[in-house]
Amino acid sequence: MDRDKIIEQLKDDELYYGEFGKQFLSNSDLKYLKSESSAKEFRSTKKFSDDQMKNLELGKYFHQLLLEPDKAKDFAMVDVKTRASKEYKQYKEDNNVDFVLRTSEAQEIKDLADWVMNPKSEYGSDIVRALLNNPIALKEQPAIAEIHGHMFKGKADLITLDVDGQYVIVDLKTTGSNPSDINIFRMRDFGYDSQCYLYKQLFGMDFKFVFFGKKKKINNDGDIYYDIEEITPSDQTLEGGKMAVMSALANYDKFFGEGATHDVRKSYTRRVI
């Protein structure tokens, strides 16, 4: 299958995240390849905790509200007070799901998205709207490329023109803390540095994050706002991302590549510290 046909298929989320997409590595995969111990969970069927699932679903809902509003209309949620309730458990059973957002949780994210997209909102939301509403903007655009001898995939939240008229990839992320708390160490911890590097290789253009604080705030005039911070990776961050990718690929080759030399299932290891 040629590259254009593969990319067209990867626009379908079921194919992107399913078996078809698993022929490619992704930045999410690299998070499990940082060490020998975490490599044991590479593409495992281990279930996430409720807190992990909640953050994943909130992020997914926020992305759909801003990038794919037609999908967001059908986003699954249930109107219950707690996950311990009979109604919540019945919903999971009836719909054959392990987790679903509660309506009150989803509403907090919808309030944020509504504020971002409200033409009357300011405090940086106007800049985000300009990026999102640019007529040439591409949303949820996949790409594939060979990087350090391995085929990778990635999906850009947004490809658009920045204020300087240059094409740029914009990745949207929510954070529970103040976006200003994001530093190079958190970039490494969450795999954001490797994402910066990989996406520059995949798409051949500059990359930036836009972080949204999920906490609703009110200024002295009574106006509601949320913290927003745009973060552009430095050369240092990109170099760190490259090193992280190469280290993860070394573990991939060791445990999963052709001619793998180690069995990831073995629990006995040796190291010097």
mmCIF file of all heavy atoms in Angstrom, residues 41-83:
data_model
loop_
_atom_site.group_PDB
_atom_site.id
_atom_site.type_symbol
_atom_site.label_atom_id
_atom_site.label_comp_id
_atom_site.label_asym_id
_atom_site.label_seq_id
_atom_site.Cartn_x
_atom_site.Cartn_y
_atom_site.Cartn_z
ATOM 1 N N GLU A 41 5.471 -3.600 29.762
ATOM 2 C CA GLU A 41 4.092 -3.163 29.545
ATOM 3 C C GLU A 41 3.881 -2.619 28.130
ATOM 4 O O GLU A 41 2.812 -2.101 27.817
ATOM 5 C CB GLU A 41 3.718 -2.105 30.574
ATOM 6 C CG GLU A 41 3.742 -2.628 32.003
ATOM 7 C CD GLU A 41 3.313 -1.589 33.015
ATOM 8 O OE1 GLU A 41 2.741 -0.558 32.602
ATOM 9 O OE2 GLU A 41 3.564 -1.786 34.214
ATOM 10 N N PHE A 42 4.897 -2.734 27.259
ATOM 11 C CA PHE A 42 4.773 -2.253 25.886
ATOM 12 C C PHE A 42 3.641 -2.989 25.181
ATOM 13 O O PHE A 42 3.646 -4.205 25.052
ATOM 14 C CB PHE A 42 6.100 -2.477 25.151
ATOM 15 C CG PHE A 42 6.057 -2.158 23.680
ATOM 16 C CD1 PHE A 42 5.921 -0.865 23.240
ATOM 17 C CD2 PHE A 42 6.164 -3.175 22.736
ATOM 18 C CE1 PHE A 42 5.898 -0.575 21.883
ATOM 19 C CE2 PHE A 42 6.150 -2.895 21.383
ATOM 20 C CZ PHE A 42 6.014 -1.583 20.959
ATOM 21 N N ARG A 43 2.626 -2.206 24.765
ATOM 22 C CA ARG A 43 1.443 -2.732 24.075
ATOM 23 C C ARG A 43 0.793 -3.889 24.829
ATOM 24 O O ARG A 43 0.256 -4.824 24.220
ATOM 25 C CB ARG A 43 1.790 -3.141 22.649
ATOM 26 C CG ARG A 43 2.128 -1.934 21.773
ATOM 27 C CD ARG A 43 2.410 -2.297 20.339
ATOM 28 N NE ARG A 43 2.628 -1.093 19.554
ATOM 29 C CZ ARG A 43 3.033 -1.079 18.288
ATOM 30 N NH1 ARG A 43 3.260 -2.234 17.675
ATOM 31 N NH2 ARG A 43 3.203 0.055 17.640
ATOM 32 N N SER A 44 0.824 -3.801 26.147
ATOM 33 C CA SER A 44 0.172 -4.826 26.965
ATOM 34 C C SER A 44 -1.322 -4.519 27.050
ATOM 35 O O SER A 44 -1.785 -3.442 26.667
ATOM 36 C CB SER A 44 0.768 -4.854 28.369
ATOM 37 O OG SER A 44 0.365 -3.710 29.105
ATOM 38 N N THR A 45 -2.086 -5.455 27.572
ATOM 39 C CA THR A 45 -3.529 -5.272 27.725
ATOM 40 C C THR A 45 -3.876 -4.811 29.139
ATOM 41 O O THR A 45 -5.024 -4.852 29.546
ATOM 42 C CB THR A 45 -4.267 -6.585 27.424
ATOM 43 O OG1 THR A 45 -3.744 -7.625 28.286
ATOM 44 C CG2 THR A 45 -4.092 -6.986 25.975
ATOM 45 N N LYS A 46 -2.862 -4.375 29.886
ATOM 46 C CA LYS A 46 -3.077 -3.901 31.250
ATOM 47 C C LYS A 46 -4.032 -2.716 31.246
ATOM 48 O O LYS A 46 -3.899 -1.788 30.445
ATOM 49 C CB LYS A 46 -1.748 -3.492 31.878
ATOM 50 C CG LYS A 46 -1.871 -2.971 33.296
ATOM 51 C CD LYS A 46 -0.504 -2.565 33.842
ATOM 52 C CE LYS A 46 -0.625 -1.979 35.239
ATOM 53 N NZ LYS A 46 0.695 -1.562 35.782
ATOM 54 N N LYS A 47 -5.007 -2.735 32.155
ATOM 55 C CA LYS A 47 -6.003 -1.675 32.212
ATOM 56 C C LYS A 47 -5.479 -0.494 33.022
ATOM 57 O O LYS A 47 -4.747 -0.661 33.991
ATOM 58 C CB LYS A 47 -7.303 -2.195 32.829
ATOM 59 C CG LYS A 47 -8.027 -3.226 31.972
ATOM 60 C CD LYS A 47 -9.326 -3.662 32.621
ATOM 61 C CE LYS A 47 -10.057 -4.666 31.743
ATOM 62 N NZ LYS A 47 -11.328 -5.120 32.374
ATOM 63 N N PHE A 48 -5.880 0.702 32.609
ATOM 64 C CA PHE A 48 -5.525 1.907 33.344
ATOM 65 C C PHE A 48 -6.411 2.039 34.580
ATOM 66 O O PHE A 48 -7.516 1.496 34.633
ATOM 67 C CB PHE A 48 -5.701 3.147 32.462
ATOM 68 C CG PHE A 48 -4.741 3.232 31.316
ATOM 69 C CD1 PHE A 48 -5.190 3.165 30.004
ATOM 70 C CD2 PHE A 48 -3.392 3.401 31.548
ATOM 71 C CE1 PHE A 48 -4.308 3.250 28.949
ATOM 72 C CE2 PHE A 48 -2.487 3.486 30.493
ATOM 73 C CZ PHE A 48 -2.954 3.414 29.196
ATOM 74 N N SER A 49 -5.937 2.813 35.550
ATOM 75 C CA SER A 49 -6.757 3.119 36.722
ATOM 76 C C SER A 49 -7.861 4.088 36.324
ATOM 77 O O SER A 49 -7.817 4.706 35.256
ATOM 78 C CB SER A 49 -5.897 3.744 37.819
ATOM 79 O OG SER A 49 -5.454 5.038 37.418
ATOM 80 N N ASP A 50 -8.854 4.253 37.205
ATOM 81 C CA ASP A 50 -9.940 5.189 36.916
ATOM 82 C C ASP A 50 -9.419 6.616 36.753
ATOM 83 O O ASP A 50 -9.896 7.365 35.889
ATOM 84 C CB ASP A 50 -10.994 5.144 38.025
ATOM 85 C CG ASP A 50 -11.964 3.979 37.856
ATOM 86 O OD1 ASP A 50 -11.827 3.233 36.860
ATOM 87 O OD2 ASP A 50 -12.854 3.815 38.711
ATOM 88 N N ASP A 51 -8.436 7.009 37.569
ATOM 89 C CA ASP A 51 -7.880 8.357 37.451
ATOM 90 C C ASP A 51 -7.180 8.545 36.107
ATOM 91 O O ASP A 51 -7.303 9.599 35.469
ATOM 92 C CB ASP A 51 -6.888 8.624 38.585
ATOM 93 C CG ASP A 51 -7.592 8.965 39.897
ATOM 94 O OD1 ASP A 51 -8.788 9.300 39.851
ATOM 95 O OD2 ASP A 51 -6.934 8.897 40.949
ATOM 96 N N GLN A 52 -6.445 7.530 35.678
ATOM 97 C CA GLN A 52 -5.771 7.608 34.376
ATOM 98 C C GLN A 52 -6.793 7.680 33.251
ATOM 99 O O GLN A 52 -6.647 8.482 32.314
ATOM 100 C CB GLN A 52 -4.856 6.402 34.190
ATOM 101 C CG GLN A 52 -3.620 6.404 35.073
ATOM 102 C CD GLN A 52 -2.850 5.102 34.999
ATOM 103 O OE1 GLN A 52 -3.430 4.013 34.976
ATOM 104 N NE2 GLN A 52 -1.524 5.198 34.972
ATOM 105 N N MET A 53 -7.821 6.845 33.340
ATOM 106 C CA MET A 53 -8.863 6.847 32.312
ATOM 107 C C MET A 53 -9.606 8.179 32.282
ATOM 108 O O MET A 53 -9.942 8.686 31.207
ATOM 109 C CB MET A 53 -9.841 5.697 32.554
ATOM 110 C CG MET A 53 -9.310 4.327 32.193
ATOM 111 S SD MET A 53 -8.833 4.201 30.450
ATOM 112 C CE MET A 53 -10.363 4.629 29.611
ATOM 113 N N LYS A 54 -9.845 8.733 33.455
ATOM 114 C CA LYS A 54 -10.543 10.016 33.522
ATOM 115 C C LYS A 54 -9.757 11.090 32.772
ATOM 116 O O LYS A 54 -10.317 11.830 31.957
ATOM 117 C CB LYS A 54 -10.746 10.429 34.980
ATOM 118 C CG LYS A 54 -11.355 11.819 35.151
ATOM 119 C CD LYS A 54 -11.450 12.197 36.624
ATOM 120 C CE LYS A 54 -11.851 13.645 36.806
ATOM 121 N NZ LYS A 54 -11.912 14.036 38.236
ATOM 122 N N ASN A 55 -8.451 11.172 33.025
ATOM 123 C CA ASN A 55 -7.630 12.181 32.348
ATOM 124 C C ASN A 55 -7.565 11.941 30.845
ATOM 125 O O ASN A 55 -7.605 12.894 30.051
ATOM 126 C CB ASN A 55 -6.226 12.189 32.950
ATOM 127 C CG ASN A 55 -6.193 12.796 34.339
ATOM 128 O OD1 ASN A 55 -6.972 13.683 34.653
ATOM 129 N ND2 ASN A 55 -5.297 12.308 35.185
ATOM 130 N N LEU A 56 -7.482 10.681 30.437
ATOM 131 C CA LEU A 56 -7.459 10.360 29.006
ATOM 132 C C LEU A 56 -8.769 10.768 28.334
ATOM 133 O O LEU A 56 -8.768 11.350 27.247
ATOM 134 C CB LEU A 56 -7.209 8.859 28.813
ATOM 135 C CG LEU A 56 -5.788 8.356 29.088
ATOM 136 C CD1 LEU A 56 -5.770 6.828 29.081
ATOM 137 C CD2 LEU A 56 -4.811 8.900 28.050
ATOM 138 N N GLU A 57 -9.893 10.458 28.983
ATOM 139 C CA GLU A 57 -11.198 10.766 28.398
ATOM 140 C C GLU A 57 -11.455 12.271 28.380
ATOM 141 O O GLU A 57 -12.033 12.797 27.420
ATOM 142 C CB GLU A 57 -12.300 10.043 29.172
ATOM 143 C CG GLU A 57 -12.326 8.538 28.936
ATOM 144 C CD GLU A 57 -12.620 8.175 27.495
ATOM 145 O OE1 GLU A 57 -13.731 8.449 27.025
ATOM 146 O OE2 GLU A 57 -11.708 7.650 26.817
ATOM 147 N N LEU A 58 -11.038 12.973 29.433
ATOM 148 C CA LEU A 58 -11.202 14.428 29.446
ATOM 149 C C LEU A 58 -10.401 15.067 28.321
ATOM 150 O O LEU A 58 -10.880 15.981 27.644
ATOM 151 C CB LEU A 58 -10.758 14.994 30.796
ATOM 152 C CG LEU A 58 -11.684 14.730 31.989
ATOM 153 C CD1 LEU A 58 -11.034 15.218 33.282
ATOM 154 C CD2 LEU A 58 -13.044 15.381 31.806
ATOM 155 N N GLY A 59 -9.179 14.580 28.113
ATOM 156 C CA GLY A 59 -8.359 15.099 27.023
ATOM 157 C C GLY A 59 -8.982 14.816 25.669
ATOM 158 O O GLY A 59 -9.004 15.678 24.782
ATOM 159 N N LYS A 60 -9.516 13.613 25.509
ATOM 160 C CA LYS A 60 -10.155 13.239 24.246
ATOM 161 C C LYS A 60 -11.387 14.111 23.982
ATOM 162 O O LYS A 60 -11.599 14.591 22.852
ATOM 163 C CB LYS A 60 -10.561 11.761 24.292
ATOM 164 C CG LYS A 60 -11.221 11.245 23.032
ATOM 165 C CD LYS A 60 -11.561 9.759 23.186
ATOM 166 C CE LYS A 60 -12.277 9.226 21.951
ATOM 167 N NZ LYS A 60 -12.634 7.784 22.114
ATOM 168 N N TYR A 61 -12.175 14.332 25.025
ATOM 169 C CA TYR A 61 -13.393 15.144 24.878
ATOM 170 C C TYR A 61 -13.031 16.582 24.514
ATOM 171 O O TYR A 61 -13.651 17.192 23.630
ATOM 172 C CB TYR A 61 -14.184 15.100 26.178
ATOM 173 C CG TYR A 61 -15.542 15.774 26.118
ATOM 174 C CD1 TYR A 61 -16.397 15.601 25.029
ATOM 175 C CD2 TYR A 61 -15.987 16.573 27.164
ATOM 176 C CE1 TYR A 61 -17.642 16.208 24.969
ATOM 177 C CE2 TYR A 61 -17.230 17.177 27.134
ATOM 178 C CZ TYR A 61 -18.056 17.002 26.040
ATOM 179 O OH TYR A 61 -19.293 17.600 26.002
ATOM 180 N N PHE A 62 -12.002 17.134 25.176
ATOM 181 C CA PHE A 62 -11.570 18.500 24.880
ATOM 182 C C PHE A 62 -11.121 18.626 23.428
ATOM 183 O O PHE A 62 -11.480 19.587 22.736
ATOM 184 C CB PHE A 62 -10.434 18.879 25.824
ATOM 185 C CG PHE A 62 -9.935 20.288 25.642
ATOM 186 C CD1 PHE A 62 -10.721 21.369 26.000
ATOM 187 C CD2 PHE A 62 -8.670 20.528 25.123
ATOM 188 C CE1 PHE A 62 -10.262 22.674 25.845
ATOM 189 C CE2 PHE A 62 -8.200 21.823 24.957
ATOM 190 C CZ PHE A 62 -8.999 22.894 25.325
ATOM 191 N N HIS A 63 -10.349 17.653 22.958
ATOM 192 C CA HIS A 63 -9.898 17.672 21.572
ATOM 193 C C HIS A 63 -11.080 17.634 20.603
ATOM 194 O O HIS A 63 -11.104 18.353 19.605
ATOM 195 C CB HIS A 63 -8.957 16.499 21.299
ATOM 196 C CG HIS A 63 -7.552 16.745 21.739
ATOM 197 N ND1 HIS A 63 -7.179 16.750 23.057
ATOM 198 C CD2 HIS A 63 -6.417 17.012 21.029
ATOM 199 C CE1 HIS A 63 -5.881 17.008 23.137
ATOM 200 N NE2 HIS A 63 -5.394 17.167 21.933
ATOM 201 N N GLN A 64 -12.039 16.779 20.892
ATOM 202 C CA GLN A 64 -13.193 16.692 20.002
ATOM 203 C C GLN A 64 -13.998 17.986 19.996
ATOM 204 O O GLN A 64 -14.468 18.435 18.942
ATOM 205 C CB GLN A 64 -14.077 15.508 20.397
ATOM 206 C CG GLN A 64 -13.472 14.160 20.039
ATOM 207 C CD GLN A 64 -14.439 13.014 20.229
ATOM 208 O OE1 GLN A 64 -15.598 13.206 20.622
ATOM 209 N NE2 GLN A 64 -13.986 11.798 19.966
ATOM 210 N N LEU A 65 -14.157 18.611 21.157
ATOM 211 C CA LEU A 65 -14.918 19.857 21.229
ATOM 212 C C LEU A 65 -14.276 20.952 20.388
ATOM 213 O O LEU A 65 -14.976 21.723 19.719
ATOM 214 C CB LEU A 65 -15.027 20.329 22.682
ATOM 215 C CG LEU A 65 -15.995 19.530 23.574
ATOM 216 C CD1 LEU A 65 -15.758 19.872 25.041
ATOM 217 C CD2 LEU A 65 -17.446 19.810 23.191
ATOM 218 N N LEU A 66 -12.936 20.994 20.373
ATOM 219 C CA LEU A 66 -12.249 22.041 19.622
ATOM 220 C C LEU A 66 -11.977 21.658 18.175
ATOM 221 O O LEU A 66 -12.024 22.520 17.290
ATOM 222 C CB LEU A 66 -10.919 22.394 20.309
ATOM 223 C CG LEU A 66 -10.943 23.608 21.238
ATOM 224 C CD1 LEU A 66 -11.968 23.433 22.357
ATOM 225 C CD2 LEU A 66 -9.556 23.852 21.832
ATOM 226 N N LEU A 67 -11.716 20.378 17.923
ATOM 227 C CA LEU A 67 -11.259 19.963 16.596
ATOM 228 C C LEU A 67 -12.303 19.188 15.795
ATOM 229 O O LEU A 67 -12.306 19.253 14.568
ATOM 230 C CB LEU A 67 -9.998 19.109 16.732
ATOM 231 C CG LEU A 67 -8.814 19.769 17.434
ATOM 232 C CD1 LEU A 67 -7.725 18.740 17.731
ATOM 233 C CD2 LEU A 67 -8.245 20.906 16.592
ATOM 234 N N GLU A 68 -13.151 18.419 16.479
ATOM 235 C CA GLU A 68 -14.146 17.584 15.806
ATOM 236 C C GLU A 68 -15.488 17.680 16.540
ATOM 237 O O GLU A 68 -15.970 16.710 17.120
ATOM 238 C CB GLU A 68 -13.670 16.125 15.775
ATOM 239 C CG GLU A 68 -12.346 15.916 15.065
ATOM 240 C CD GLU A 68 -11.862 14.483 15.148
ATOM 241 O OE1 GLU A 68 -11.547 14.026 16.264
ATOM 242 O OE2 GLU A 68 -11.828 13.806 14.102
ATOM 243 N N PRO A 69 -16.092 18.869 16.537
ATOM 244 C CA PRO A 69 -17.322 19.086 17.324
ATOM 245 C C PRO A 69 -18.470 18.149 16.974
ATOM 246 O O PRO A 69 -19.299 17.855 17.838
ATOM 247 C CB PRO A 69 -17.670 20.548 17.033
ATOM 248 C CG PRO A 69 -16.886 20.918 15.814
ATOM 249 C CD PRO A 69 -15.659 20.083 15.834
ATOM 250 N N ASP A 70 -18.523 17.662 15.748
ATOM 251 C CA ASP A 70 -19.596 16.726 15.394
ATOM 252 C C ASP A 70 -19.468 15.425 16.179
ATOM 253 O O ASP A 70 -20.471 14.822 16.577
ATOM 254 C CB ASP A 70 -19.571 16.431 13.892
ATOM 255 C CG ASP A 70 -20.061 17.611 13.071
ATOM 256 O OD1 ASP A 70 -20.738 18.489 13.642
ATOM 257 O OD2 ASP A 70 -19.761 17.663 11.865
ATOM 258 N N LYS A 71 -18.235 14.971 16.402
ATOM 259 C CA LYS A 71 -18.019 13.767 17.204
ATOM 260 C C LYS A 71 -18.350 14.021 18.669
ATOM 261 O O LYS A 71 -18.866 13.151 19.371
ATOM 262 C CB LYS A 71 -16.563 13.296 17.086
ATOM 263 C CG LYS A 71 -16.200 12.654 15.766
ATOM 264 C CD LYS A 71 -14.776 12.100 15.827
ATOM 265 C CE LYS A 71 -14.384 11.435 14.521
ATOM 266 N NZ LYS A 71 -12.994 10.878 14.582
ATOM 267 N N ALA A 72 -18.027 15.224 19.149
ATOM 268 C CA ALA A 72 -18.236 15.547 20.567
ATOM 269 C C ALA A 72 -19.706 15.469 20.961
ATOM 270 O O ALA A 72 -20.025 15.199 22.122
ATOM 271 C CB ALA A 72 -17.681 16.939 20.863
ATOM 272 N N LYS A 73 -20.593 15.677 20.001
ATOM 273 C CA LYS A 73 -22.024 15.623 20.308
ATOM 274 C C LYS A 73 -22.451 14.256 20.815
ATOM 275 O O LYS A 73 -23.421 14.130 21.566
ATOM 276 C CB LYS A 73 -22.841 15.987 19.062
ATOM 277 C CG LYS A 73 -22.653 17.429 18.588
ATOM 278 C CD LYS A 73 -23.377 17.664 17.276
ATOM 279 C CE LYS A 73 -23.116 19.065 16.746
ATOM 280 N NZ LYS A 73 -23.752 19.288 15.417
ATOM 281 N N ASP A 74 -21.739 13.221 20.404
ATOM 282 C CA ASP A 74 -22.095 11.852 20.778
ATOM 283 C C ASP A 74 -21.135 11.263 21.810
ATOM 284 O O ASP A 74 -21.084 10.051 21.996
ATOM 285 C CB ASP A 74 -22.113 10.958 19.529
ATOM 286 C CG ASP A 74 -23.134 11.416 18.506
ATOM 287 O OD1 ASP A 74 -24.232 11.818 18.911
ATOM 288 O OD2 ASP A 74 -22.819 11.378 17.303
ATOM 289 N N PHE A 75 -20.358 12.126 22.475
ATOM 290 C CA PHE A 75 -19.381 11.624 23.439
ATOM 291 C C PHE A 75 -20.099 10.966 24.616
ATOM 292 O O PHE A 75 -21.026 11.522 25.196
ATOM 293 C CB PHE A 75 -18.498 12.765 23.944
ATOM 294 C CG PHE A 75 -17.197 12.299 24.537
ATOM 295 C CD1 PHE A 75 -16.067 12.185 23.750
ATOM 296 C CD2 PHE A 75 -17.109 11.952 25.873
ATOM 297 C CE1 PHE A 75 -14.867 11.752 24.276
ATOM 298 C CE2 PHE A 75 -15.915 11.521 26.416
ATOM 299 C CZ PHE A 75 -14.788 11.413 25.616
ATOM 300 N N ALA A 76 -19.645 9.770 24.965
ATOM 301 C CA ALA A 76 -20.321 8.993 26.012
ATOM 302 C C ALA A 76 -20.086 9.597 27.391
ATOM 303 O O ALA A 76 -18.952 9.926 27.758
ATOM 304 C CB ALA A 76 -19.814 7.553 25.989
ATOM 305 N N MET A 77 -21.161 9.751 28.156
ATOM 306 C CA MET A 77 -21.088 10.200 29.537
ATOM 307 C C MET A 77 -22.364 9.762 30.244
ATOM 308 O O MET A 77 -23.374 9.448 29.597
ATOM 309 C CB MET A 77 -20.904 11.716 29.616
ATOM 310 C CG MET A 77 -22.009 12.521 28.984
ATOM 311 S SD MET A 77 -21.622 14.295 28.886
ATOM 312 C CE MET A 77 -20.414 14.350 27.558
ATOM 313 N N VAL A 78 -22.324 9.726 31.580
ATOM 314 C CA VAL A 78 -23.482 9.271 32.336
ATOM 315 C C VAL A 78 -23.700 10.220 33.509
ATOM 316 O O VAL A 78 -22.754 10.667 34.167
ATOM 317 C CB VAL A 78 -23.285 7.814 32.820
ATOM 318 C CG1 VAL A 78 -22.031 7.672 33.671
ATOM 319 C CG2 VAL A 78 -24.508 7.311 33.565
ATOM 320 N N ASP A 79 -24.967 10.560 33.756
ATOM 321 C CA ASP A 79 -25.319 11.545 34.774
ATOM 322 C C ASP A 79 -25.511 10.861 36.130
ATOM 323 O O ASP A 79 -26.628 10.516 36.519
ATOM 324 C CB ASP A 79 -26.598 12.285 34.358
ATOM 325 C CG ASP A 79 -26.876 13.486 35.243
ATOM 326 O OD1 ASP A 79 -25.991 13.843 36.046
ATOM 327 O OD2 ASP A 79 -27.979 14.066 35.139
ATOM 328 N N VAL A 80 -24.396 10.644 36.822
ATOM 329 C CA VAL A 80 -24.418 10.041 38.162
ATOM 330 C C VAL A 80 -23.489 10.835 39.064
ATOM 331 O O VAL A 80 -22.609 11.554 38.601
ATOM 332 C CB VAL A 80 -23.967 8.558 38.131
ATOM 333 C CG1 VAL A 80 -24.935 7.717 37.310
ATOM 334 C CG2 VAL A 80 -22.543 8.440 37.591
ATOM 335 N N LYS A 81 -23.682 10.693 40.379
ATOM 336 C CA LYS A 81 -22.850 11.422 41.334
ATOM 337 C C LYS A 81 -21.514 10.732 41.586
ATOM 338 O O LYS A 81 -20.495 11.399 41.783
ATOM 339 C CB LYS A 81 -23.602 11.618 42.646
ATOM 340 C CG LYS A 81 -24.779 12.583 42.540
ATOM 341 C CD LYS A 81 -25.423 12.811 43.900
ATOM 342 C CE LYS A 81 -26.562 13.822 43.797
ATOM 343 N NZ LYS A 81 -27.209 14.059 45.124
ATOM 344 N N THR A 82 -21.525 9.397 41.617
ATOM 345 C CA THR A 82 -20.291 8.662 41.891
ATOM 346 C C THR A 82 -20.197 7.432 40.991
ATOM 347 O O THR A 82 -21.207 6.947 40.463
ATOM 348 C CB THR A 82 -20.233 8.177 43.358
ATOM 349 O OG1 THR A 82 -21.184 7.129 43.556
ATOM 350 C CG2 THR A 82 -20.515 9.318 44.320
ATOM 351 N N ARG A 83 -18.978 6.913 40.862
ATOM 352 C CA ARG A 83 -18.770 5.689 40.092
ATOM 353 C C ARG A 83 -19.128 4.442 40.900
ATOM 354 O O ARG A 83 -19.114 3.341 40.360
ATOM 355 C CB ARG A 83 -17.314 5.617 39.604
ATOM 356 C CG ARG A 83 -17.017 6.664 38.562
ATOM 357 C CD ARG A 83 -15.739 6.422 37.791
ATOM 358 N NE ARG A 83 -15.733 7.336 36.670
ATOM 359 C CZ ARG A 83 -15.354 8.606 36.737
ATOM 360 N NH1 ARG A 83 -14.906 9.086 37.882
ATOM 361 N NH2 ARG A 83 -15.421 9.379 35.674
#
